[in-house]
Amino acid sequence: MTLSPELDALAGERYLIERELGRGGMATVYLAHDRKHGRRVALKVLRPELSASLGTERFLREIRLAAGLQHPHILPIFDSGEASGREAGPVSLWYTMPYVEGPTLRDRIREQGRLPIDEAVRLVREVALALDHAHRRGVVHRDIKPENILLSEGQALVADFGIARPVETAHGDTLTQAGFVLGTPAYMSPEQAAGDTADARSDLYSLACVLYELLVGAQPFTGSSAHAVTLKRFTEAAPAVSAGRPDVPADLDGIVARALEREPDARYPTMAAFASTLAELGSARTTPSPAPPLPARSIAVLPFANIGGDPETEVFADGMAEELLNALVKATALRVASRVSSFAFKDRQEDVGAIALRLKVETVLEGSVRRAGNRIRVSAQLVDAAQGYHLWSERYDRELADVFAIQDEITASIVSALRLVLTAGERKAMAAERADVRAYEYYLRGRHLAHQVRREGYQGALRMFRQAVEIDPGYARAFAGIADCHSWMYMYYDASEENLRQADQASRRALELDAGSAEAHAARGFALSLGKQYDAARAELAAAIALAPSLYEGHYLFGRVCWAQGQLEEAARHFEDAATVRPEDPEAPSMLASAYEAINDAERAEAAHRRAVANTRAYLELYPADARALYHGALSLRRLGEEAEALAWAERARASAGEDSSAFYNLGCFYAIGGDIGQAFDCLNRAVDVGYAHREWVEHDVDLEPLHGDPRWEALLGRFTGKDR
């Protein structure tokens, strides 16, 4: 294509420009091939008069700030510079970004008008998290509008950071004379329209305008000219969202109204606060029955650093962090990121703010442990991730025997720093269980092995837990650990009468020793469910949830009990509860989607599948070879019609499955819904070979309906004789 001399020079050196993608008041965008890196990019070239007004130094300084932003919902800047022609003439300033084939949010609005409420809230929350990341690094966007929000695989990506600020800085020089309009009138905050300094709260106002349009299908202020629109901003309040869309919840009406307040101080103080409010609203809307409330405060407990490098201290340090995590889970007013998610950042030198964004929490607890003989030094600090400062920190130099007191003191300090209000029952449940310190160390080793989630791990964990109870026969949680190991072994690897008997005995003993332990009740409920004592299992799991409403295992196992009984609507409610208390988990939304499929609730099933896929993508960034995440994600992708990626994930899951009967069972489901009946039966029979023994689950699984009527189906069910008791 024909280019200006300066762009000809740029293209020849660095880029092969394929075609023009679009142009606006400030720039022209081209689709280009980056010769050096072999990738397609969007090349944005500013208008010559704007380039002249900004100046190269100012432009590149601001672009460098924007290029430092690294966030899943921010379109990164690859490169920038200036292009001069062969003869003296205007300089063209330019920068490149990834080329995204998906539509912009403006395209979606043109195509669809208003969006479903849940989707609108989700997309805006993703943008809010991106802007919060930028604001905490001193970068304000200043031109948030649907055109600058791209959609990639259904996720929001904010583009064009780094341009509005230098443009605004140059306002009053030659830009006004050149006819440039700063910002977009339909989304511009009052203070920005008045020429005042635009800070993070200005971005908030603009994003609220976007949310309003997504919900209503029209902008909050309209008029015959840009001046008329701007005038309304100063003289009128925006109409209520519910006036244009009566089905909008009252809470959302209020959220938008606050974000659109004329005075910046009356809006939400930060994008983080706005995003958190939207998250609470979104959780409430997607819950079909009363579920644990999503609290306003949230925390991730990172694995504690091992100072000194001793392998025994490594297990001890990890165990201390996990003990604190398990204690904090008992506080209903606090959402705690799961151990799997938090411990993915072990030994990774990442910014606390970035970790908090990945785990969707406000605060992060980090610490270290140094051990010398019978002395330990524990340091801990609680960080406000949004603001980047310490809420609390302390160092403890104690005898090893004081480890339980240290844990209680740290927990109490966190509760105080976060201003949580606890019930007497919660305070009791959060207290560290005292035990012989030698037994405690064996218990930590056992739990470390059990987290491997494989046969050898459970077998090693059993040895450690049994050593713990030999030293301390009154150690309730060690007995609960023994019970859980036998239960998981029975479920996935060895459906023997002995595993069932041992799970029953150990869980009974755990409850005898500590009837106030949520973990003991959950272990007992799990064991009873495997023995088909469903009413008793329900009672124990209900007790576990009452003692610790945020205990994921209580809700998840309750859902499995309901599924095994064919009570699928109730199963859906409990899987929804599990997904609420652990929103980053990929498995619970997958189970939830299957339950909705079974009761023919197509809309909720699709939403749950999309949630499962999104969670799986994030999880696989941390654990790329995790078979369980892969096969759950593959099932959801196939249900959503995304065949190529579904097959790729299924193949990866099969390669990583080892002797995991659950992997083969779920892969059987995957092939069944895809019509590959032979592969389905191969995987299901393999699941039985390596220990799967749950006929009642097979009979109620809607994914396996395509196999019904095939002669191999009855043969498969017959293989459970003598296994499924």
Side-chain angles (χ1 to χ4, degrees):
M1 62 182 295
T2 303
L3 304 172
S4 63
E6 60 270 21
L7 287 181
D8 266 331
L10 172 64
E13 294 172 8
R14 294 288 308 280
Y15 300 100
L16 173 64
I17 298 179
E18 299 178 12
R19 59 185 170 89
E20 183 178 308
L21 293 173
R23 63 175 60 213
M26 292 197 301
T28 302
V29 186
Y30 300 94
L31 173 61
H33 178 75
D34 183 339
R35 298 177 188 275
K36 180 178 180 181
H37 300 101
R39 60 190 177 190
R40 301 176 92 193
V41 298
L43 172 64
K44 194 156 194 170
V45 184
L46 303 192
R47 284 172 54 179
E49 55 267 50
L50 177 56
S51 296
S53 300
L54 293 178
T56 301
E57 183 179 350
R58 180 193 298 170
F59 169 77
L60 295 179
R61 182 173 63 246
E62 297 297 333
I63 283 291
R64 275 195 294 270
L65 286 174
L69 302 177
Q70 301 292 324
H71 188 272
H73 296 296
I74 292 178
L75 191 69
I77 291 176
F78 282 160
D79 198 6
S80 61
E82 61 176 350
S84 301
R86 289 180 290 272
E87 301 175 358
V91 169
S92 292
L93 300 174
W94 57 270
Y95 62 102
T96 61
M97 304 168 290
Y99 172 60
V100 177
E101 293 189 0
T104 66
L105 200 51
R106 170 62 65 211
D107 295 329
R108 279 293 305 277
I109 294 170
R110 289 193 186 111
E111 173 186 284
Q112 190 172 337
R114 66 188 192 183
L115 271 59
I117 294 172
D118 291 339
E119 183 181 10
V121 170
R122 176 182 63 80
L123 290 172
V124 168
R125 183 170 180 270
E126 289 172 357
V127 174
L129 292 172
L131 291 170
D132 176 62
H133 174 83
H135 294 165
R136 288 188 287 108
R137 286 154 181 79
V139 179
V140 178
H141 193 288
R142 292 175 170 82
D143 195 19
I144 289 296
K145 57 186 178 183
E147 289 81 353
N148 283 337
I149 300 169
L150 309 180
L151 299 176
S152 176
E153 298 183 342
Q155 305 292 304
L157 286 173
V158 186
D160 279 350
F161 277 93
I163 292 302
R165 179 174 174 179
V167 170
E168 191 169 76
T169 318
H171 182 54
D173 300 338
T174 60
L175 291 185
T176 303
Q177 298 162 19
F180 286 94
V181 177
L182 304 178
T184 304
Y187 307 95
M188 196 184 298
S189 68
E191 62 270 23
Q192 192 175 3
D196 297 332
T197 300
D199 61 12
R201 295 168 300 179
S202 179
D203 278 353
L204 173 61
Y205 185 99
S206 300
L207 185 56
C209 291
V210 172
L211 177 56
Y212 187 106
E213 187 174 4
L214 295 179
L215 293 169
V216 177
Q219 295 160 353
F221 297 100
T222 58
S224 58
S225 66
H227 178 73
V229 172
T230 302
L231 184 61
K232 283 186 177 182
R233 252 178 238 295
F234 290 98
T235 58
E236 299 177 13
V241 173
S242 56
R245 187 167 185 173
D247 62 332
V248 167
D251 287 351
L252 183 53
D253 222 350
I255 290 169
V256 177
R258 180 176 175 184
L260 285 175
E261 285 285 354
R262 192 174 306 150
E263 294 298 326
D265 288 342
R267 301 170 202 153
Y268 291 92
T270 64
M271 275 292 181
F274 182 54
S276 177
T277 305
L278 291 176
E280 294 173 37
L281 174 81
S283 175
R285 280 186 51 76
T286 56
T287 303
S289 65
L294 184 64
R297 307 312 306 268
S298 52
I299 189 172
V301 181
L302 300 184
F304 280 22
N306 171 21
I307 306 300
D310 176 55
E312 290 298 315
T313 305
E314 186 84 10
V315 174
F316 191 88
D318 285 352
M320 171 162 280
E322 188 177 354
E323 290 287 278
L324 293 168
L325 186 154
N326 290 336
L328 293 170
V329 163
K330 310 297 184 2
T332 306
L334 184 65
R335 183 177 69 79
V336 184
S338 70
R339 179 196 184 277
V340 170
S341 297
S342 295
F343 275 56
F345 294 93
K346 182 178 174 65
D347 298 327
R348 289 169 58 173
Q349 302 301 314
E350 293 197 32
D351 175 69
V352 167
I355 293 173
L357 283 169
R358 289 281 296 275
L359 300 182
K360 302 176 183 177
V361 295
E362 299 171 316
T363 54
V364 173
L365 179 72
E366 54 183 357
S368 63
V369 174
R370 179 187 292 274
R371 183 170 171 181
N374 289 324
R375 298 284 302 180
I376 57 170
R377 170 178 292 176
V378 179
S379 297
Q381 46 274 338
L382 182 66
V383 181
D384 182 315
Q387 304 299 326
Y389 58 78
H390 286 80
L391 295 171
W392 163 85
S393 64
E394 187 60 80
R395 190 179 79 180
Y396 306 87
D397 287 294
R398 304 279 183 84
E399 294 289 331
L400 183 60
D402 290 334
V403 62
F404 306 110
I406 294 173
Q407 291 171 11
D408 284 342
E409 289 174 37
I410 293 175
T411 301
S413 296
I414 294 169
V415 168
S416 176
L418 297 182
R419 301 179 182 178
L420 302 178
V421 178
L422 303 179
T423 66
E426 287 172 339
R427 289 188 182 279
K428 182 179 179 182
M430 292 171 73
E433 180 183 1
R434 266 54 178 176
D436 184 289
V437 174
R438 293 173 302 149
Y440 174 69
E441 292 192 77
Y442 277 110
Y443 171 74
L444 293 182
R445 292 175 200 162
R447 203 162 58 189
H448 177 78
L449 290 166
H451 285 311
Q452 297 175 8
V453 193
R454 54 191 179 90
R455 183 195 295 262
E456 295 80 6
Y458 290 130
Q459 291 170 337
L462 277 171
R463 290 193 293 271
M464 295 298 104
F465 290 144
R466 292 198 180 281
Q467 190 70 34
V469 298
E470 279 187 26
I471 296 170
D472 186 346
Y475 201 173
R477 280 199 299 167
F479 277 106
I482 291 171
D484 283 339
C485 283
H486 280 293
S487 290
W488 289 117
M489 286 288 291
Y490 179 88
M491 175 172 283
Y492 291 132
Y493 305 108
D494 179 14
S496 65
E497 189 67 40
E498 179 62 14
N499 271 328
L500 202 59
R501 186 182 67 82
Q502 293 282 2
D504 178 76
Q505 288 183 352
S507 62
R508 191 191 305 274
R509 182 58 179 153
L511 268 185
E512 289 171 355
L513 291 169
D514 188 357
S517 166
E519 289 86 353
H521 282 285
R524 182 69 182 145
F526 190 11
L528 288 167
S529 71
L530 295 175
K532 293 190 178 180
Q533 300 180 59
Y534 294 127
D535 289 344
R538 283 169 169 269
E540 295 297 346
L541 293 170
I545 293 169
L547 287 165
S550 296
L551 184 67
Y552 170 87
E553 289 77 11
H555 300 290
Y556 175 76
L557 291 171
F558 212 135
R560 292 190 67 99
V561 169
C562 296
W563 183 286
Q565 293 181 284
Q567 297 173 356
L568 302 177
E569 290 191 17
E570 189 177 3
R573 291 197 293 272
H574 288 290
F575 288 135
E576 182 68 63
D577 291 352
T580 299
V581 300
R582 190 179 287 178
E584 75 279 14
D585 178 63
E587 186 167 350
S590 177
M591 301 296 294
L592 176 63
S594 294
Y596 283 141
E597 295 274 4
I599 59 178
N600 297 314
D601 190 334
E603 184 177 353
R604 281 183 169 157
E606 181 180 350
H609 281 306
R610 294 196 182 281
R611 187 171 170 188
V613 169
N615 285 8
T616 302
R617 291 192 201 286
Y619 189 88
L620 291 175
E621 290 181 14
L622 304 175
Y623 301 98
D626 188 282
R628 295 192 182 200
L630 285 164
Y631 61 65
H632 280 298
L635 278 162
S636 287
L637 283 169
R638 173 157 272 180
R639 286 291 191 186
L640 294 170
E642 300 179 30
E643 278 295 300
E645 191 170 18
L647 285 166
W649 283 13
E651 289 170 7
R652 287 169 60 189
R654 198 161 186 172
S656 303
E659 296 294 296
D660 187 341
S661 67
S662 179
F664 288 109
Y665 174 79
N666 282 277
L667 286 167
C669 295
F670 174 82
Y671 291 119
I673 64 176
D676 192 340
I677 306 303
Q679 283 265 50
F681 277 115
D682 286 348
C683 285
L684 292 170
N685 279 298
R686 179 62 179 150
V688 178
D689 290 341
V690 295
Y692 195 84
H694 309 289
R695 174 172 175 152
E696 76 287 352
W697 192 276
V698 174
E699 290 176 322
H700 295 131
D701 199 330
V702 67
D703 289 343
L704 299 180
E705 287 182 357
L707 308 184
H708 296 184
D710 189 296
R712 289 169 289 183
W713 176 250
E714 291 301 324
L716 174 69
L717 294 179
R719 294 196 64 195
F720 291 100
T721 303
K723 289 190 173 187
D724 189 28
R725 285 170 278 273

